Amino acid sequence: MRQALLIVDVQPCFSPPAWQVEGIAKLAPTMHSVATVERHDEAVTPFWRQLGWKPAVADEPLVPADKVFVKHGYLPPPEFIGHLKDLGIERVLVCGIQADTCCLAAGFMLFDAGLNPTLLKWLTVGSSLDRSASLGANLWRHHFGAGSILHDPEGLQGT
């Protein structure tokens, strides 16, 4: 099964832990990698008006990727799916920031497009509700099935 790595919003304004950036940076060169970067545009997504918070206007990913997609909200942009399908990708390994929001939103988008989303829990952090990413992993398992989560790097063996 042809697979790719999706790195969700690992960027300066979210202050990802060093272990996460290092772990993703080690994995990314082993396969096709795609990153999303969240940028603020209040005209597109009302983060400030509704939440009193906003991402940076011009952040860049902290982990180099083969392709970067800018997003202005929870979902990756629509051309993200076309890119993966053009490459013949079937399974997308997802890691990054906010397992229970942005990673989950990407998972829904991947699932709805007929792709196989798989969460790399050891390379993912959750939102302020649960930094361990356990809430996100539970939601991921519920929506995408028991085999949709890898808890450690050993799970990548044979994939």
Side-chain angles (χ1 to χ4, degrees), residues 91-144:
R91 180 183 190 200
V92 181
L93 305 174
V94 180
C95 61
I97 302 293
Q98 298 202 357
D100 46 334
T101 57
C102 292
C103 291
L104 187 61
F108 285 131
M109 189 178 210
L110 292 163
F111 183 86
D112 287 353
L115 300 171
N116 297 299
T118 302
L119 182 69
L120 303 181
K121 188 174 181 295
W122 80 96
L123 293 176
T124 305
V125 296
S127 70
S128 58
L129 288 175
D130 174 28
R131 292 299 283 174
S132 75
S134 293
L135 172 62
N138 287 337
L139 289 166
W140 198 277
R141 183 180 308 102
H142 175 75
H143 292 291
F144 309 128

Side-chain angles (χ1 to χ4, degrees), residues 23 28 53 59 68 74 79 93 114 118 140 144 157 159:
W53 170 90
D59 253 0
V68 176
Y74 294 106
E79 58 270 17
L93 305 174
T118 302
W140 198 277
F144 309 128
Q157 305 304 327
T159 61

Side-chain angles (χ1 to χ4, degrees), residues 2-4 32 83-92 115:
R2 188 157 162 83
Q3 61 188 14
H32 183 74
H83 173 75
L84 295 173
K85 288 196 168 197
D86 286 349
L87 294 173
I89 301 297
E90 300 169 76
R91 180 183 190 200
V92 181
L115 300 171

Side-chain angles (χ1 to χ4, degrees), residues 17-74:
W19 60 261
Q20 182 186 37
V21 175
E22 292 165 8
I24 296 170
K26 183 178 176 183
L27 181 60
T30 68
M31 65 188 79
H32 183 74
S33 60
V34 176
T36 61
V37 60
E38 177 75 38
R39 292 195 185 144
H40 183 246
D41 183 342
E42 195 72 12
V44 178
T45 303
F47 277 114
W48 185 254
R49 182 173 49 86
Q50 290 190 1
L51 302 176
W53 170 90
K54 60 186 177 191
V57 174
D59 253 0
E60 293 294 333
L62 290 171
V63 176
D66 297 314
K67 180 82 173 159
V68 176
F69 290 93
V70 173
K71 65 187 189 111
H72 298 286
Y74 294 106

